[in-house]
Amino acid sequence: MPIATVNPASGETLKTFDALGSEEIERALATAHETFRQYRTTGFDERARLLTRAAELLEQDAPDVARTMTTEMGKPVAAARAEALKCAKTMRWYAEHAPGLLADEHPTGADVRDSGASRAYVHYRPLGAILAVMPWNFPLWQVVRFAAPALMAGNVGLLKHASNVPQTALYLEDLFRRAGFPEGCFQTLLVGSGAIEAILRDPRVAAATLTGSEPAGRAVASIAADEVKKTVLELGGSDPYVVMPSADVERAARTAVTARVQNNGQSCIAAKRFIVHADVYDAFAERFTAGMRDLTVGDPLDETTDVGPLSSEQGRSDLEELVDDALSHGATALCGGRRPEEWTRGWFYAPTVLADITESMRIHREEAFGPVATLYRVESLDEAVTVANDTSFGLSSNVWTRDEDDVRRFVRDLEAGGVFFNGMTASHPALPFGGVKRSGYGRELSGHGIREFCNVTTVWHGADPGEG
């Protein structure tokens, strides 16, 4: 895949970039290694000062970088601005909270004495250069939610971003440079996927994090495992959105529209499978379908647009194949199910709701990465749980209910990294983010995320012979 900015609203190639050669990659690795040796010794105050400055710059740059993101991958420009500001908020959060999250941990006095120590504690140390392999769908956020905690922990970053967002990738390197981080603290590597293995195997790279497809995750994890290096993976999702009889159906349906089409439907944590109890199915389906049908599809740089194009022609083709397969096996399109007639250029697809889904359809098993929702009618809570868990993914989940017994059951039984009640899944720096099953492993954000790429070190001091 060429490294290029291709406007998904028009299909026009706007700018191309040459991939780094072997000598340039070697310089980047050497620089990262040397920088880490010094940067690891800086204090939290200095790291926080630098990261706060990066947040300030990002807030100032938000209108311009938002237009860059929209031009490269098609998200509505208002959502792109919100993404930039969320990144700045997360930088500030880690600048403030990292010292506490990585503070030494002291066991109780009785446990220390029992270990034979005069004192003992747990200390967190950085690992080194972390390779981040990141996707195009949230081209700032996916990177910052790795970079902010990693830099505050004393690590340095090497970014291999998706090949269709090179300008956003280069902006990130420039942002951290302008903020005053030492040269080599954060570097963007404009390379194709074929270069990842050699970079990851290099002994100067300590660990890797990847957000992306299941095949990409398998590839990176297997290489890292062969080198005995730590990885964190955030892969696909086919999140359930369960609506129970006690739910506020109107709010649930209204929120469901946003939950499905956020980021043009191209989000791992977007709700995709809408599992609705028979008692409220008809009311929900009517409201949800009307909301999907009323969305404005159009130019993502237009402030009034709700849904822009998919990021690539291949992405739209993949989505069309899933929908066409479902329709050919008996699914009903309550709305959409086609390309919008008014947009003949670019990679647009109409917001779609499919009902009468069966296990014979590919869309029952595969992730639909675009503005396409599937509707399921269930007769009981037990059936809702069964359908919700009938997927190889386990990223997040949404449940609408006002029954506390329902809440307890869903918390206990849903196979997912998150359970969001009476609202849609969202990420926040204070809360861990990640999944189970084929959605990956490890966690980003919160204290869990910052500790993923730390050497959790036991420090033990023997008892003084003169004591006692």
Side-chain angles (χ1 to χ4, degrees):
M1 181 178 181
I3 301 173
T5 297
V6 181
N7 187 342
S10 66
E12 179 185 4
T13 299
L14 302 178
K15 196 169 185 179
T16 59
F17 297 81
D18 292 329
L20 297 182
S22 57
E23 291 183 2
E24 293 167 306
I25 294 172
E26 168 57 30
R27 280 197 298 272
L29 291 170
T31 301
H33 182 65
E34 287 303 312
T35 298
F36 171 68
R37 294 175 63 185
Q38 298 302 316
Y39 182 69
R40 63 187 293 274
T41 66
T42 59
F44 285 120
D45 287 348
E46 174 63 5
R47 297 174 200 167
R49 183 187 68 80
L50 295 171
L51 195 60
T52 300
R53 180 55 181 156
E56 294 169 350
L57 292 171
L58 181 52
E59 288 165 345
Q60 296 169 16
D61 296 345
D64 290 335
V65 73
R67 290 183 66 86
T68 298
M69 283 192 284
T70 295
T71 302
E72 290 201 305
M73 56 69 60
K75 72 170 72 231
V77 70
R81 282 197 306 274
E83 179 176 337
L85 296 176
K86 181 177 183 176
C87 290
K89 173 183 176 181
T90 299
M91 291 176 178
R92 293 181 186 278
W93 191 89
Y94 271 108
E96 178 183 354
H97 290 91
L101 297 173
L102 296 182
D104 291 346
E105 297 175 6
H106 296 268
T108 65
D111 288 333
V112 171
R113 290 191 297 273
D114 189 55
S115 75
S118 60
R119 59 191 175 103
Y121 58 95
V122 177
H123 183 65
Y124 293 97
R125 295 185 287 171
L127 291 181
I130 312 299
L131 174 64
V133 182
M134 293 289 117
W136 47 262
N137 56 338
F138 291 94
L140 277 185
W141 173 238
Q142 305 279 14
V143 178
V144 167
R145 75 185 192 196
F146 141 74
L151 290 169
M152 281 304 300
N155 295 299
V156 301
L158 294 166
L159 171 64
K160 190 287 178 208
H161 217 325
S163 294
N164 61 331
V165 291
Q167 294 186 72
T168 305
L170 291 170
Y171 167 80
L172 283 159
E173 179 180 26
D174 185 60
L175 173 68
F176 290 113
R177 178 190 59 77
R178 287 188 290 135
F181 280 92
E183 190 73 23
C185 257
F186 186 94
Q187 298 178 82
T188 287
L189 306 179
L190 290 186
V191 296
S193 57
I196 294 174
E197 179 170 357
I199 295 170
L200 183 50
R201 289 189 184 279
D202 191 287
R204 291 165 294 188
V205 173
T209 179
L210 177 142
T211 299
S213 68
E214 187 180 334
R218 289 174 182 271
V220 165
S222 64
I223 296 166
D226 191 48
E227 296 292 334
V228 197
K229 293 181 180 180
K230 173 75 176 287
T231 53
V232 169
L233 302 182
E234 193 264 279
L235 308 179
S238 190
D239 289 3
Y241 188 103
V242 181
V243 184
M244 296 298 289
S246 65
D248 181 333
V249 175
E250 174 128 8
R251 276 189 60 220
R254 186 169 61 248
T255 304
V257 174
T258 304
R260 176 63 284 233
V261 303
Q262 60 174 311
N263 209 47
N264 302 337
Q266 300 167 122
S267 170
C268 295
I269 58 168
K272 298 181 176 77
R273 298 176 298 129
F274 296 81
I275 302 162
V276 186
H277 194 282
D279 290 355
V280 292
Y281 179 91
D282 291 340
F284 176 88
E286 179 181 0
R287 289 171 172 79
F288 178 48
T289 302
M292 292 284 281
R293 188 185 293 117
D294 289 344
L295 292 167
T296 299
V297 178
D299 181 357
L301 289 173
D302 186 330
E303 296 284 349
T304 65
T305 291
D306 297 313
V307 180
L310 299 186
S311 70
S312 68
E313 188 172 18
Q314 184 62 55
R316 183 175 66 177
S317 295
D318 292 344
L319 189 66
E320 285 179 317
E321 288 180 8
L322 284 180
V323 173
D324 291 347
D325 172 79
L327 295 174
S328 70
H329 285 86
T332 303
L334 302 183
C335 68
R338 55 175 177 77
R339 302 180 185 185
E341 296 175 359
E342 62 273 25
W343 288 95
T344 57
R345 297 180 68 203
W347 302 310
F348 294 88
Y349 197 79
T352 297
V353 178
L354 299 178
D356 305 312
I357 303 299
T358 66
E359 293 184 5
S360 65
M361 301 169 188
R362 287 176 53 201
I363 203 166
H364 178 69
R365 298 289 180 196
E366 300 178 31
E367 180 180 19
F369 220 57
V372 174
T374 52
L375 266 177
Y376 296 79
R377 182 196 299 263
V378 295
E379 301 293 334
S380 66
L381 186 151
D382 287 339
E383 187 181 2
V385 169
T386 297
V387 175
N389 289 341
D390 189 22
T391 174
S392 61
F393 299 110
L395 193 51
S396 190
S397 59
N398 311 259
V399 178
W400 287 75
T401 181
R402 288 181 280 202
D403 185 320
E404 285 302 313
D405 288 336
D406 288 357
V407 170
R408 285 187 284 271
R409 277 291 309 279
F410 283 113
V411 169
R412 187 190 74 182
D413 293 341
L414 284 181
E415 297 168 352
V419 186
F420 285 69
F421 289 97
N422 302 318
M424 59 180 273
T425 296
S427 52
H428 185 279
L431 299 172
F433 182 88
V436 295
K437 300 197 288 189
R438 292 189 176 180
S439 286
Y441 52 76
R443 290 296 181 266
E444 297 177 295
L445 302 177
S446 77
H448 296 277
I450 198 171
R451 297 184 197 109
E452 287 281 7
F453 295 117
C454 285
N455 175 357
V456 184
T457 308
T458 296
V459 182
W460 186 93
H461 294 263
D464 188 332
E467 291 181 1

